[in-house]
Amino acid sequence: QVQLVESGGGLVQAGGSLRLSCAASGRTFSSSAMGWFRQAPGQEREFVAAISWNSGMTFYADSVKGRFTISRDNAKNTVYLQMNSLKPEDTAVYYCAAAPPGVIFTRTRYDYWGQGTQVTVSS
C-alpha cells in the first residue's frame, strides 16, 4: 500500500535549522505534486510548501517564505523540507502529502498523508 514516512523532526533552539525527509513507497510519485503541511496544538492543519512533479515550481506559505525550502529526489521517491531560521511559532507536527498521479502541481489536492513528525522550537 501507499506509505509516506516523515523523519528529521526534533527539538531545536530558535534560529536553528532542521531538515525533514519524507520517503514515499507503494507507487511511483514522480508524476505527482508533493507538499508539506503542519498542525500546531489547538489549530487547524495549514499548508506550508508544495513542489511540482519535476521540481520546476514551488510555492510557500507567507509565514515560511525565505526560510524554508522544499525539494525532491524522484529517483529516491523522497521529498525534503529544509527549515532555517526557525521560530517558536514554527512548532507543530509536520506532515508530508502526495497528490494523485497526474496532478503535477497543487496546494490543495492531496490524497495521501504521512503520520507526521514533531518539530519543537524553543525560545
Side-chain angles (χ1 to χ4, degrees):
Q1 72 276 19
V2 174
Q3 274 193 316
L4 301 176
V5 180
E6 302 95 337
S7 61
L11 173 64
V12 64
Q13 288 188 333
S17 298
L18 283 174
R19 189 194 195 203
L20 305 184
S21 299
C22 172
S25 62
R27 68 167 172 89
T28 299
F29 289 84
S30 58
S31 65
S32 303
M34 300 288 290
W36 286 95
F37 291 75
R38 67 187 182 185
Q39 186 168 20
Q43 298 185 22
E44 294 191 353
R45 186 169 58 193
E46 65 174 359
F47 169 81
V48 174
I51 188 167
S52 64
W53 69 284
N54 63 350
S55 304
M57 290 185 291
T58 58
F59 190 84
Y60 298 92
D62 287 344
S63 58
V64 307
K65 201 173 297 182
R67 300 187 297 121
F68 291 10
T69 303
I70 188 171
S71 61
R72 66 190 295 167
D73 184 338
N74 284 343
K76 296 182 179 179
N77 250 8
T78 301
V79 63
Y80 305 96
L81 186 68
Q82 177 67 44
M83 306 186 295
N84 298 329
S85 302
L86 283 161
K87 304 175 181 180
E89 52 263 44
D90 294 318
T91 295
V93 177
Y94 283 71
Y95 297 91
C96 170
V103 178
I104 62 173
F105 189 66
T106 180
R107 284 179 286 164
T108 59
R109 289 187 58 194
Y110 294 96
D111 59 356
Y112 290 106
W113 298 84
Q115 83 290 348
T117 185
Q118 176 71 46
V119 171
T120 303
V121 184
S122 63
S123 57

